[in-house]
Amino acid sequence: MKNKTILVVEDNDLNMKLVQALLRRDSYRVLASGNAEKGLDLARSEKPDLILMDLQLPGMDGLSAIRILKKDPLLKQTPIAALTAYAMAEDLEKAREAGCDCYITKPFDIQSFAETIRKLLEEAPSASSENPEQLP
Ligand code: MN
């Protein structure tokens, strides 16, 4: 079976290194971008299985990028997890409105991070899926 591809958009070098290390340890293929603009390009060209999107980014912010992805007919099915240091109700509500499937709070809890990624990929509608189940 082909390894799943995960796009990580994160401008903080330390967070990016940590996320990449965690994902590669679980044998995922990782695409990385430090900004939303290149992240959108990578999403369009590579069609990742999952996108992890930091909300605070230089230039275009993560919420704007998520809204664009969720309007793209070819990408709107791709699950997106927001990476945010701000676990405030307001931010989480905004992330949900923008179309986020879930959020991951920084700093990362390594154990639950791996678990969250696995669940998102399991629940994601694959091209061959006969069971288009929606997240609540
Ligand atoms: Mn950031």
Side-chain angles (χ1 to χ4, degrees):
M1 194 173 86
K2 181 181 158 289
N3 286 346
K4 299 283 188 181
T5 299
I6 301 178
L7 168 62
V8 184
V9 184
E10 165 66 81
D11 65 317
N12 179 283
D13 282 344
L14 277 179
N15 280 334
M16 178 61 96
K17 284 195 178 109
L18 175 59
V19 169
Q20 287 194 12
L22 291 174
L23 294 177
R24 289 191 174 129
R25 189 185 63 174
D26 288 336
S27 302
Y28 298 118
R29 176 176 169 244
V30 182
L31 304 168
S33 172
N35 62 68
E37 291 82 354
K38 187 186 158 205
L40 289 175
D41 286 345
L42 281 170
R44 290 175 183 128
S45 61
E46 300 285 330
K47 309 277 187 304
D49 298 288
L50 171 66
I51 299 170
L52 305 183
M53 180 75 71
D54 181 20
L55 294 185
Q56 282 77 41
L57 292 165
M60 185 190 296
D61 66 81
L63 286 177
S64 301
I66 289 165
R67 289 192 194 100
I68 290 170
L69 290 166
K70 289 297 179 183
K71 279 184 196 140
D72 187 320
L74 296 176
L75 295 169
K76 63 182 181 188
Q77 296 281 73
T78 308
I80 304 177
L83 305 178
T84 176
Y86 302 93
M88 285 158 49
E90 194 187 331
D91 285 299
L92 303 182
E93 190 52 41
K94 277 188 209 155
R96 193 175 296 276
E97 277 170 16
C100 259
D101 298 271
C102 105
Y103 59 87
I104 297 172
T105 324
K106 297 185 273 191
F108 304 113
D109 177 278
I110 290 173
Q111 196 60 45
S112 67
F113 179 83
E115 190 64 26
T116 300
I117 299 301
R118 196 161 34 241
K119 277 188 190 153
L120 279 166
L121 286 169
E122 275 171 13
E123 289 163 0
S126 68
S128 59
S129 178
E130 297 288 309
N131 182 23
E133 216 172 300
Q134 293 292 324
L135 289 177

